[in-house]
Amino acid sequence: MAAYEERETDILIVGAGGAGMFAALYADDNTPDDTDITVVVKKLAGKSGCTRMVQGGYNAVLHPEDSIDRHYEDTIKGGKFLNDQEIARELVEGAPKIIRKLENELGVFFDRDEDGHIHQKPFAGQSFDRTVHKGDLTGIEIMTKLRDELLTRDVEFLEETRAIDILTDESGAGAAGSLLLDMRRGEFIAMASRMTLLATGAGATMYNISTPALEKSADGQAMAYRRGARFQDMEMMQFHPTGLLAGDTKLTGGVIEEGIRGEGAHLYNGEDERFLREYAPETMERSCRDVVSIASYKEIMAGRGTENGGVWLDATHLGADVVEEKFPGMTERTRNVGQDLSNTRVEVSPTSHYHMGGAVIDEQCHSDVPRLFVAGEDAGGAHGANRLGGNGVVDSTVLGKCAGEAMAEEFHDHEIGDISHSQVTDIIDRVTAPLEREEGEDIYELREDLEMTMWECVGVVREESELEESLDRIESYKERLERVSVPGSKRYNLTWNEVMDVRNLIIAAEMVARSALFREESRGAHYRNDFPEPDDENWLANVYVQQGDDGMETSREDVRFTRIHPSELEVEPTIPNTDAVQGDD
Amino acid sequence: MTTSNVTVHRYDPEIDDEPTFENYEVPVSEATSVLDTLFHIQEEQKENLSFRFSCRQGVCGSCGMEINGEARLACQTAVSDLDDPDDIRVRPLYNLPVIKDLTVDMDDFFEKFVEIDPSFESESLDETTDTAVIDPDSTERQRIAPRTDCIGCGACFSGCSVAGETYLGPAAINKALTLIEDSRDDKTEERLERLQEQDGVWGCHTQGNCSNVCPKDIPISEGIQYLKREAIKHGVKDALFPSSD
């Protein structure tokens, strides 16, 4: 008989990155003192996730000559008109308020202009210099101050505790809490709650070359999927063009700042050709993210990459002093792995960065599952087919706030219900099964196979046959997952933890592959070799996936242009204004 | 590719009477970090090793540990940069309880932050007001700026010879300094009073280990000495003008 502890809380928040922490803050601000708010995080609070890693900054309209409408239009254009227009509006309207909240109530320091006002820098795809930042450590500043604030609040943190599955209420349809695993003690907790928020930060790590923190494994997306939530635009995975290739090290995929291309660095293929001449002769290396990523990927997949499967980034002609002075962090990063950006070429590759797709939500972050909220990168809608640099942390913070406020307002309407013992024990039996097997599949090999499949078949450039192939392979990974064996006990067992990660990544990966196969056009982050052009006539539509009776079901609906129609905006040029500094968050 | 001998602290308090050190031969290249060697032991040699990591880029401060006798971030420590790259010895941070192997319980460390009340408070600023105008060249801003780079990794706490039971420790005091110097914040007096207690700034023995090991090069020790002066000034002011409270 599976043993577990039973607990309850009014508001349960899964994830302690930007979205989870903001949800906790605003839930606490808007509830009576005796309300129990619990944050569950599988790493340490405030020290994990992607908001912490934000280098670039935060887009917010602060200057009198800028406007919410302009930020909004930039966001919709950037998203190639696939955005949920109401959520996108919530984002841009909420951003200036969050900046004031951060500075005035949490004590964050953003960089200043010479006159002492908040400095805003230009980022690609934006019609105004509106990116607020603190050097290139904006995420550390925001997350540190958020954690400091919450340390003094009556919010309980369960660290190194992972949510495994959402528990349902008697009707089987609503979220009644979550089964948790305290990883340190290796013990399960059935946490009943009135409201549950998933804010775990998607799973760009499903690719072998990726930028995010290593723990991001689509946990929230997979949990929501298993309870029937609907997802949109899962094919939209953003690739950053220049992830560092550092051999067989975990640093591989870490971002080399795009600003260095703005400064004049060149890209060469393995045959010493500046290959962007073939793809974007006008703007070359200063082209936007998707153009450079697609060009590099095509060269690599055509066998014209470097020995290690990348391309060369060369800044040596700028002079070692210039590179060292302007890009000290990046230079140091390359030196850490035995290369040196200031005086040699370094190997880079497109790197999986940010998932625009996610669970369908409304402006208050309600998912389709009653009492289940989703915020941050686990949710879709805000960014459409492409996220602007500097809009990611806006998403986490603004939608985290919306979720916190909504849960605070609604939790009174629901009692804490009984947790189903059989549901809990079924889940425990399933997740502990690998510990019971003496021999079986190796989870790290399985993960590597999944990552390579995603890279080769569902990567920057896609086509039908490869996507079909990826689905066959994913099917086999599901079977292998059922045969995995894990040595050791339940306590602080990283290998066992990896099994739970991969289980979730496989679900998200299948959603990406199926949606990519379904969308027969190229738009934003989604490029189909067999359909290389955008098809506005047929594909100004969102792609949806959801669990059906026979597995994953895919469908589509035309985009609802609730605020602005494509015909009302100038057509976005393929190549953006190259004067703008590129963003790296 | 060469190999290094990595000696790892193994300890499961629920099973083991005392810690042991196990040796592993790990292939290393120019790019291999100490964190990578731990992943190799975990993934390739199938050891059940417990260690903490997250961003692998020196941002999250999760992989702080003692490497060849010095508190460092494992992800930012290239094996090839070590004085003796062939022989690597890793153990958990000092001054914090071990959960398992290389993982320590950071609760005590962050509890010290709570003691200096890290929550910013301003009576004049809120969500509806414009943000304050802060001169980037002001002494205040210059003094605060490098100190907000702290990633809470605990290296300073591990390197400190007096951190432990009561002394607030270098990281919490560094945090207090960023708030005390911040003219927007209203709780300066309260924080200085807390720092004046015996286990506050006076607990520091000025050995400078905290600054030496800080992976972000924060001048922590210098900041503590600065706060000692501020605390004295504050104490004198209290003594001379007791009615001003």
Side-chain angles (χ1 to χ4, degrees), chain A residues 26 43-44 47-49 52-53 97 99-101 103-118 134 137 140-141 144-145 147-149 151-152 159-160 184 210-215 246 249-254 333 336-338 401 442 444 487-488 491-495, chain B residues 12 14-15 30-32 36 39 42-43 46-57 59-62 76 78 81 99-100 103 105-107 110 113-114 117-120 122 125-136 140-141 144-145 148-153 175 178 182 184:
Chain A
Y26 279 89
K43 291 280 176 173
L44 296 183
K47 290 166 77 73
S48 52
R52 174 88 186 189
M53 291 175 74
K97 294 176 198 162
I99 291 293
R100 285 197 291 273
K101 176 86 174 179
E103 276 225 345
N104 292 350
E105 295 188 17
L106 300 182
V108 162
F109 272 109
F110 292 118
D111 281 3
R112 319 310 278 196
D113 282 326
E114 283 178 8
D115 67 3
H117 289 93
I118 290 178
K134 177 178 178 282
L137 301 170
I140 293 177
E141 177 73 2
T144 300
K145 289 287 181 7
R147 185 186 159 91
D148 289 346
E149 175 66 27
L151 271 174
T152 65
E159 297 183 298
E160 295 186 316
R184 293 178 187 170
S210 66
T211 66
L214 299 168
E215 67 274 8
T249 85
K250 297 286 182 192
L251 193 65
T252 283
R333 179 169 289 181
N336 263 345
V337 297
K401 170 185 191 259
D442 180 272
Y444 296 109
R491 272 178 292 116
Y492 219 111
N493 187 329
L494 296 184
T495 305
Chain B
D12 183 345
E14 296 206 12
I15 298 172
E30 187 81 9
T32 307
D36 286 319
F39 279 120
Q42 180 76 16
E43 296 177 12
K46 313 299 174 200
E47 279 292 320
N48 251 310
L49 187 61
S50 300
F51 57 102
R52 189 178 280 139
F53 57 87
S54 178
C55 75
R56 68 20 174 143
Q57 296 178 12
V59 174
C60 71
S62 296
Q76 297 293 286
D81 276 353
I99 295 174
K100 201 175 163 200
T103 313
D105 188 337
M106 301 289 283
D107 285 356
F110 287 111
F113 284 48
V114 177
D117 192 356
S119 166
F120 175 89
S122 168
L125 299 168
D126 64 33
E127 219 175 1
T128 64
T129 58
D130 283 340
T131 54
V133 176
I134 305 165
D135 179 355
E140 166 193 347
R141 186 73 181 88
I144 295 169
T148 55
D149 290 350
C150 173
I151 54 173
C153 66
K175 168 91 51 190
T178 65
D182 189 341
R184 303 171 300 172

Side-chain angles (χ1 to χ4, degrees), chain A residues 542-583:
Chain A
N542 298 111
V543 171
Y544 294 92
V545 279
Q546 192 167 18
Q547 190 173 34
D549 293 338
D550 299 316
M552 214 172 265
E553 291 176 355
T554 320
S555 62
R556 50 161 287 166
E557 282 174 32
D558 288 344
V559 176
R560 289 177 301 123
F561 300 113
T562 54
R563 287 177 180 266
I564 195 162
H565 191 272
S567 62
E568 295 171 57
L569 286 176
E570 281 178 42
V571 176
E572 178 84 333
T574 310
I575 307 299
N577 171 13
T578 53
D579 293 336
V581 176
Q582 305 279 327

Side-chain angles (χ1 to χ4, degrees), chain A residues 19 115 132 168 344 475 539:
Chain A
D115 67 3
V132 176
T168 51
T344 56
E475 213 49 48
W539 284 104

